Amino acid sequence: MSRRRTLSPRKKLALLVSAAAVAGGGAFVMATTSNAAPVQNASNSTVCQGLATALGNNQTFIDGQRAKPDAQSQARIANRDAVIAQIKVQQAASNCQVGESAQGPQAAQPAQPAQPAQPAPSAPGKQQTTAPAQGAGGGAATGRQVCAGSTVTLSGEGGSPAASSNQFPAGTKLKVTNLDNNKSTTVQVTSVSGSCALLNNAAFEQVREPGKFLIRRALIEKVG
């Protein structure tokens, strides 16, 4: 018969310490390798700011539809809810805070009627002429700059290049130029949104800078 070997208390303690060290080391390695990059937000990432602004624009539009509903409001809200869901997917893919919402300079402002320019005093006998005001909105002259100071983001909607607006009716043509890379696109307004010019994905791709979801320096012109 073979004798069963017994370990001394000292050897048992040494084996237990070794096992604990191995287990602890493995846990440390797992914890180290599972660390992900910190989530960013609109305050420290241009990408996140652009997505947050796009989400905020759509939320503002939904709020407006709920405040003053009409026969098409439910369909519009359902469409924008789907757009917001897609933006959240993009936020997650870009390591941004999912659901973060921000507002652009004119995102929350309803369309305002054009204010007539105050004519300057003219000399007696001379006819006074007044140039069209820039940035006036739907009544702006064709080919003139509108919505001065607005940033431009994407709506998250698919389809061929198009735009939505809270100042111009469907059928209006807008030319949007990214002054940071001089790329332009001319699109037709097809729906209502919460900002002056909100480009869908296809239109935004034509003027965006790589990796950015916000155009800070935009020139928006009414061309038709």
Side-chain angles (χ1 to χ4, degrees):
M1 293 179 65
S2 60
R3 292 183 178 181
R4 180 178 296 176
R5 297 182 61 184
T6 59
L7 299 176
S8 66
R10 180 176 296 179
K11 288 185 177 180
K12 287 181 179 180
L13 180 60
L15 288 174
L16 289 172
V17 171
S18 298
V22 171
F28 177 77
V29 171
M30 291 176 64
T32 302
T33 55
S34 63
N35 284 339
V39 176
Q40 296 182 308
N41 55 45
S43 65
N44 55 27
S45 168
T46 302
V47 171
C48 297
Q49 184 180 15
L51 291 171
T53 303
L55 195 150
N57 286 338
N58 283 286
Q59 287 179 330
T60 299
F61 172 75
I62 290 174
D63 292 342
Q65 290 294 304
R66 287 174 175 162
K68 296 181 179 180
D70 58 31
Q72 300 298 321
S73 289
Q74 288 302 318
R76 296 190 192 108
I77 290 172
N79 177 61
R80 293 295 169 174
D81 280 337
V83 170
I84 287 176
Q86 179 59 33
I87 292 173
K88 289 180 178 179
V89 170
Q90 292 176 299
Q91 285 178 321
S94 301
N95 200 36
C96 299
Q97 182 178 333
V98 177
E100 183 180 21
S101 174
Q103 295 295 331
Q106 297 183 357
Q109 299 179 10
Q112 299 292 333
Q115 297 296 325
Q118 297 297 324
S122 58
K126 291 187 177 180
Q127 185 176 2
Q128 178 71 31
T129 58
T130 303
Q134 294 190 13
T142 298
R144 299 303 298 269
Q145 179 183 354
V146 294
C147 307
S150 289
T151 57
V152 176
T153 59
L154 78 170
S155 67
E157 294 180 289
S160 57
S164 54
S165 176
N166 68 350
Q167 298 196 32
F168 300 99
T172 303
K173 288 186 179 180
L174 299 176
K175 180 180 179 181
V176 178
T177 302
N178 183 347
L179 298 177
D180 289 326
N181 59 12
N182 291 322
K183 290 185 177 181
S184 298
T185 182
T186 299
V187 291
Q188 190 172 52
V189 174
T190 58
S191 60
V192 182
S193 68
S195 61
C196 171
L198 193 62
L199 301 179
N200 70 354
N201 291 354
F204 195 80
E205 284 296 328
Q206 294 178 344
V207 293
R208 69 180 291 183
E209 292 183 276
K212 293 186 178 182
F213 290 94
L214 178 68
I215 301 174
R216 294 180 182 276
R217 298 177 61 242
L219 173 63
I220 306 172
E221 299 169 280
K222 180 183 176 185
V223 295

